[in-house]
Amino acid sequence: MDHATLRRCRSLCPIPFAIMVVALIAAPSPAGEPRPRTFLVGDVRIDVVTTAVDPPATTAADGGPAVALVSVHDDEDTAVEAAREVLRDRGGTLVELRHTGGREIVFQLAGTEHRIDPNRIFTPAGRRATLETLSTWSQPADDVVAAFADELLSTLAIDEVDVVVAIHNNTPDRYTAASYAPGGPLAADAARVRLRPGGDADDFFFVTGTGLFEGLTGRGHSVIVQNEATVQDDGSLSVWCGRMGIPYVNVEAEHGHRAEQAVMLRDLLDVIAEVRPRRAARVASRPPPGCDLVDLQAVEASFVIDNRYATADNVTGRRLYPANVVFLERSAAERLARVQAELRERGLGLKVFDGYRPLAVQQALWKVKPDPRYVADPARGSRHNRGSAVDVTLVDAAGRELPMPSDFDEFGERSHLDYADGPGDALANRETLQKAMRAEGFLPLATEWWHFDAPGWRAFPVMDANPYAGPLFPESSTGAATP
Ligand SMILES: [Zn+2]
């Protein structure tokens, strides 16, 4: 770890208030030199170190799949050494977590110690389980870990990756390929199991997809295929990749089996170059397991719903939704209900303009406003498309909107959070809204006072689902009349 480089770092994106994750990015370094981004999770500093050796993606140079190698357990040095050896002659990118040299991340938040396994943080159920099992769960601790998981996946450039290769080491005979065999403790997680006769059961691959299984067993390795229907949602990267349709490989070897693990990695890269696994479409046509789009008013009836996109009074000038209903992913909806409960104690409340937004609607907005400061490019998708972003304003006890510095969807400097020229009451209302939302962990957007993201948004895919009872774009629909 190059601490001199770190000392030169500058803070680029401090995320304020409850989410205490601060990213520090080192100056660019020549190919092959580790580049750290540093995050604060509670009081502990985690370096997410990227080493990129040309060609930048292991098999992408010849048009093959882009591969990312990742090491999330800081005590698995054999795996990292083997990966570095293979990177030197094959090229590629390795992302590794460094903090204390231990497997788990231990951090303090508001005087309480929390402990997580960093390979159990990629889904809400996983985060809760790892916090509860290893220490105690609290919402602020969950929020900090969720925001770190989002940033870790971003650092992996996960939107560009075709295959995720996680490298791990294990302690002899505790967790082995045999754990997945019929009757074993992890049998339910496996769709196929092939144990190499006479091989060391501590050295094996765990994969999604059968193409990689055939290729690797053909080279004599022990291989397990994840059972997507029955695998336990433990929040691991393999479960997350399975849900997102991203091919995933876990290269698991015993501590100290450096030469064996290097052979496994070289064989894997050969198989990937042959099989050319590709990620599924980045857009899901329906919510995956663990993602539940809910009607906001069914969660909390006191929200005022004013879905502008259900009327022609919006930037597109036409109706995009068939009804004045706003959907949100369940955990974000429950988070918003907590904001509402706190505001109602003060005689205030929330009016909601939009939440989950099908990708088709995103495309319609982008058509009239192709400006990424205000509308996310549908090619990448918005956090609205993941059911994890919401557009809101404040109302009084009678449900009347309070003045704000600009209208909703007024795209310009008056909608920016740093706009200071508005009437005093509007600026004060904006601050009240920002504080209330941030207190429950929502993350603001600098260019839109009304927009907020829920931490952990990367747990959910970009979706082009229609949760409404009628068709989208009701006026242009040629189908049956909308209810
Ligand atoms: Zn928004």
Side-chain angles (χ1 to χ4, degrees):
M1 168 85 260
D2 180 358
H3 289 279
T5 306
L6 260 182
R7 273 195 295 275
R8 292 195 301 271
C9 292
R10 60 205 171 90
S11 173
L12 285 187
C13 51
I15 300 170
F17 297 91
I19 308 302
M20 286 175 283
V21 178
V22 179
L24 304 153
I25 302 181
S29 62
E33 193 178 311
R35 283 178 291 119
R37 293 183 76 202
T38 298
F39 299 93
L40 293 179
V41 174
D43 65 333
V44 77
R45 202 181 86 173
I46 301 172
D47 293 324
V48 180
V49 182
T50 300
T51 307
V53 179
D54 286 335
T58 307
T59 55
D62 64 348
V67 179
L69 272 65
V70 57
S71 165
V72 294
H73 291 134
D74 197 16
D75 62 338
E76 297 179 353
D77 298 336
T78 302
V80 171
E81 288 164 17
R84 290 195 178 288
E85 178 191 320
V86 174
L87 280 191
R88 274 196 292 277
D89 50 69
R90 301 290 291 263
T93 303
L94 168 68
V95 174
E96 55 179 301
L97 263 54
R98 296 186 197 167
H99 42 96
T100 55
R103 174 186 177 86
E104 293 162 358
I105 294 171
V106 186
F107 63 96
Q108 300 271 338
L109 204 62
T112 302
E113 183 179 284
H114 298 279
R115 187 178 283 264
I116 55 164
D117 179 333
N119 194 30
R120 296 289 184 271
I121 64 175
F122 300 102
T123 69
R127 281 194 297 275
R128 179 176 278 276
T130 191
L131 280 161
E132 276 178 356
T133 308
L134 298 177
S135 55
T136 54
W137 181 90
S138 73
Q139 189 66 55
D142 195 307
D143 290 351
V144 162
V145 174
F148 175 64
D150 289 338
E151 293 293 333
L152 177 56
L153 291 167
S154 295
T155 307
L156 265 174
I158 199 73
D159 293 328
E160 323 299 331
V161 166
D162 289 305
V163 187
V164 171
V165 175
I167 52 173
H168 287 279
N169 295 130
N170 58 59
T171 307
D173 305 328
R174 288 239 299 266
Y175 166 67
T176 77
S179 309
Y180 296 96
L186 299 173
D189 289 356
R192 298 178 77 174
V193 178
R194 156 74 198 267
L195 301 182
R196 173 186 179 177
D200 187 329
D202 296 311
D203 300 342
F204 64 98
F205 292 98
F206 182 88
V207 305
T208 62
T210 52
L212 293 170
F213 176 84
E214 302 293 349
L216 290 166
T217 53
R219 280 170 169 74
H221 294 286
S222 297
V223 188
I224 318 297
V225 180
Q226 176 166 278
N227 187 329
E228 302 300 342
T230 57
V231 67
Q232 189 202 347
D233 176 6
D234 62 0
S236 62
L237 201 48
S238 69
V239 166
W240 184 85
C241 285
R243 285 183 179 175
M244 298 292 162
I246 302 173
Y248 171 92
V249 184
N250 181 358
V251 185
E252 185 78 48
E254 189 179 323
H255 281 287
H257 281 197
R258 173 174 166 164
E260 293 88 338
Q261 199 157 18
V263 168
M264 291 172 77
L265 275 167
R266 288 179 210 279
D267 281 356
L268 172 63
L269 295 178
D270 290 343
V271 169
I272 289 172
E274 275 171 33
V275 174
R276 295 186 168 241
R278 293 288 184 184
R279 60 190 295 159
R282 286 176 174 76
V283 180
S285 57
R286 66 178 76 87
C291 177
D292 197 7
L293 295 176
V294 295
D295 175 347
L296 265 183
Q297 274 188 318
V299 173
E300 170 53 59
S302 68
F303 287 128
V304 178
I305 304 294
D306 180 14
N307 190 332
R308 294 283 183 89
Y309 303 134
T311 73
D313 177 22
N314 67 65
V315 65
T316 69
R318 61 173 178 146
R319 292 176 66 202
L320 307 176
Y321 297 135
N324 184 32
V325 176
V326 171
F327 292 88
L328 213 53
E329 188 281 319
R330 181 177 296 281
S331 62
E334 289 170 353
R335 187 183 297 276
L336 199 66
R338 293 196 293 274
V339 179
Q340 178 78 345
E342 191 277 327
L343 285 172
R344 278 164 63 86
E345 285 175 21
R346 294 189 271 156
L348 298 170
L350 290 171
K351 173 182 269 195
V352 186
F353 297 121
D354 195 20
Y356 168 67
R357 186 185 296 158
L359 191 67
V361 170
Q362 189 72 26
Q363 286 158 342
L365 290 170
W366 180 253
K367 221 171 165 179
V368 298
K369 189 73 186 173
D371 181 341
R373 286 177 302 168
Y374 305 108
V375 177
D377 184 347
R380 300 190 70 85
S382 159
R383 292 163 203 189
H384 280 292
N385 307 142
R386 301 171 188 260
S388 298
V390 67
D391 298 330
V392 289
T393 193
L394 284 180
V395 293
D396 64 16
R400 290 176 300 228
E401 250 183 78
L402 300 187
M404 286 290 177
S406 79
D407 282 339
F408 166 65
D409 269 3
E410 176 186 316
F411 301 119
E413 65 167 11
R414 296 201 306 168
S415 67
H416 295 189
L417 285 189
D418 61 2
Y419 177 71
D421 292 340
D425 60 337
L427 298 182
N429 290 335
R430 182 184 68 192
E431 193 55 26
T432 300
L433 176 65
Q434 290 288 321
K435 275 190 177 152
M437 294 293 282
R438 292 173 182 193
E440 288 298 337
F442 277 105
L443 304 168
L445 184 67
T447 51
E448 296 177 355
W449 58 259
W450 57 83
H451 176 107
F452 297 89
D453 295 319
W457 55 271
R458 275 203 182 272
F460 310 107
V462 170
M463 292 172 278
D464 200 15
N466 177 10
Y468 289 89
L472 301 173
F473 313 109
E475 261 110 57
S476 53
S477 169
T478 54
T482 56

